Amino acid sequence: MDTVADTTAPAAQRRTPRPRADALRNRERIVTAAREMFVEFGPDVPLDDVARRAGVGNATLYRNFPDRAALTHEVVLAVTSRTTLRAEEAVAAEADPFAALSRFVHAAADERIGALCPMLSGVFDKDHPDLLAARGRLEEAVEGLVSRAMSAGRLRTDIAVGDVLVALSQLTRPLPGTACLDIDRFTHRHLQLFLDGLEAPARSVLPGSAATLENLRRRD
């Protein structure tokens, strides 16, 4: 009597097992804790301290992220992607293009986009395809916000996308260490002063030239 071959077993063996829910939660906690601690203390914070804040063991952290470069990569990717999402949400929520830009600027501050600057000075692959793609999506989203506000006559015309990103970086980039943490309570106040200066009609003549995305990409 012929037997029918069981073709389901090999297929099942070929499937890549999905990560368990608790493993995904641990990874998320590690990335969140790292983002917070990079903001508070700079990108060289001990990884053991990151594990402690995340509530996981050192072995769990290193199983997910074998070194600092891998963890920094993931944090940069998370901050960039989340900030892009905030730009898309602002467009969907605000009919007024300048209100959408304003909403995004405040939301990007809450995502601590300025913390990317010290992280990007670390030793990791800044040209990784994932990071380049994420940066491209963010730049495209912010360009859209600026372009719509300018076309509507709501944004002064002597600025460029780079001006928005530079100001966001300068006004939200924290100083490492605990002494200056209270400065966070002034961030949104100062961002609003910046936004008032962006609104058309312009109240002054700006020195120098507008900051473009090309300016920001240069590595001298």
Side-chain angles (χ1 to χ4, degrees):
M1 180 176 174
D2 294 334
T3 57
V4 177
D6 184 359
T7 59
T8 59
Q13 291 168 3
R14 286 196 298 269
R15 286 191 198 123
T16 302
R18 296 180 63 184
R20 296 194 320 250
D22 58 339
L24 290 173
R25 282 194 296 271
N26 283 341
R27 185 179 177 87
E28 215 170 278
R29 281 199 291 263
I30 292 166
V31 172
T32 299
R35 173 173 161 267
E36 292 171 355
M37 297 196 78
F38 287 170
V39 166
E40 293 172 22
F41 304 109
D44 297 322
V45 64
L47 297 188
D48 291 353
D49 291 350
V50 174
R52 193 173 300 114
R53 178 171 293 195
V56 302
N58 291 354
T60 299
L61 186 148
Y62 288 108
R63 186 162 56 248
N64 282 276
F65 305 103
D67 53 31
R68 184 179 301 276
L71 180 56
T72 303
H73 171 102
E74 194 65 25
V75 172
V76 170
L77 187 60
V79 172
T80 305
S81 300
R82 285 166 60 96
T83 304
T84 301
L85 181 59
R86 299 296 166 260
E88 293 167 350
E89 290 172 345
V91 171
E94 302 288 351
D96 176 5
F98 191 83
L101 178 63
S102 300
R103 185 186 184 104
F104 163 73
V105 165
H106 286 289
D110 288 336
E111 293 296 342
R112 300 301 189 91
I113 190 173
L116 291 176
C117 290
M119 282 190 273
L120 288 172
S121 65
V123 181
F124 74 108
D125 184 5
K126 303 173 187 64
D127 295 321
H128 189 283
D130 287 351
L131 296 180
L132 291 177
R135 187 181 74 183
R137 287 191 293 271
L138 175 59
E139 290 175 350
E140 183 179 357
V142 180
E143 277 186 305
L145 285 164
V146 169
S147 176
R148 281 188 289 273
M150 202 172 286
S151 296
R154 300 279 283 114
L155 183 68
R156 60 191 300 163
T157 57
D158 55 351
I159 65 103
V161 178
D163 290 304
V164 174
L165 294 177
V166 167
L168 258 174
S169 172
Q170 290 176 335
L171 291 171
T172 63
R173 181 175 177 176
L175 297 175
T178 57
C180 295
L181 286 182
D182 283 348
I183 203 169
D184 286 352
R185 64 195 174 102
F186 299 114
T187 297
H188 288 286
R189 179 182 177 86
H190 294 161
L191 282 173
Q192 192 56 51
L193 288 170
F194 163 66
L195 286 164
D196 287 349
L198 287 183
E199 198 164 5
R203 296 167 179 80
S204 62
V205 177
L206 295 176
S209 57
T212 65
L213 290 176
E214 288 70 29
N215 295 145
L216 301 188
R217 292 181 191 132
R218 270 185 212 145
R219 295 179 187 173
D220 298 325

